[in-house]
Amino acid sequence: VSVATSAVLITLNWTCGAFGIHSWPFSAYPTYSFLRGSTVKYGWFIPVTAQGTTLDLDQEAKAIKFRKENILPMAERIVTALEYEPGKANEAILQCWLRWRTEVPILQTATSAQVVIREYPLDPDAHGELIAETHLGEMQLIQGEWRYLSDSLIQKLQIPK
């Protein structure tokens, strides 16, 4: 009986993975649902306080023992939205920024944040080595509400950076 049960479970798991089914209780383990390339891209923020101090997300997260791995899927969704659903990119950027601010309290002091795409190698020997950084725009606190302004919108409105 256990061999038959195991065969059914393995077949069900393989089928869910093959068809991209990721809903409970019939789901393949998501890590293996697609093959990664040799690099990974994240939407990232470079926050600045009212006093002009630039905050480092990595260092601030480490200081409070926050594992950034908990937020990286949101950071990847920014890139996915930009590539495949540009109409959803602004919302993805805003939601990721608001999550960072919730999880890392010092970010409450930020009044703006540059928004960039950072690309890193997946090779463990090159861990942390930045391959490329592309500037997208800026998060700005406008009348108590966070807004994402793309570089093209900033240029169009002639808003100083």
Side-chain angles (χ1 to χ4, degrees):
V1 174
S2 65
V3 172
T5 303
S6 297
V8 167
L9 290 174
I10 289 171
T11 302
L12 184 60
N13 191 48
W14 182 88
T15 303
C16 289
F19 292 102
I21 299 169
H22 300 297
S23 60
W24 188 90
F26 305 106
S27 177
Y29 187 66
T31 302
Y32 303 108
S33 63
F34 68 95
L35 294 175
R36 286 201 178 273
S38 61
T39 65
V40 64
K41 293 180 182 180
Y42 298 116
W44 209 248
F45 303 94
I46 305 169
V48 178
T49 66
Q51 295 76 27
T53 305
T54 300
L55 302 173
D56 182 317
L57 285 183
D58 285 323
Q59 294 304 316
E60 300 301 342
K62 284 178 189 174
I64 63 163
K65 296 182 176 34
F66 175 70
R67 290 176 38 101
K68 69 180 181 180
E69 290 79 8
N70 295 333
I71 209 165
L72 291 181
M74 289 183 83
E76 283 187 271
R77 280 194 284 274
I78 292 171
V79 176
T80 302
L82 286 165
E83 290 178 358
Y84 301 107
E85 297 180 276
K88 295 184 178 182
N90 289 4
E91 185 63 23
I93 291 168
L94 177 62
Q95 291 308 313
C96 190
W97 171 242
L98 293 177
R99 174 65 62 86
W100 268 110
R101 286 179 41 85
T102 300
E103 300 295 339
V104 182
I106 192 147
L107 297 179
Q108 299 293 322
T109 64
T111 55
S112 68
Q114 298 300 310
V115 181
V116 298
I117 297 294
R118 288 188 173 172
E119 184 174 6
Y120 294 97
L122 288 176
D123 180 355
D125 293 333
H127 177 70
E129 180 182 309
L130 182 62
I131 294 174
E133 181 173 284
T134 305
H135 195 273
L136 298 177
E138 185 173 334
M139 294 300 304
Q140 290 187 358
L141 188 57
I142 301 171
Q143 297 178 346
E145 190 173 320
W146 283 99
R147 307 219 179 183
Y148 169 67
L149 303 174
S150 66
D151 278 349
S152 59
L153 182 60
I154 291 171
Q155 188 175 27
K156 187 180 204 179
L157 299 175
Q158 298 179 357
I159 298 171
K161 286 188 176 184

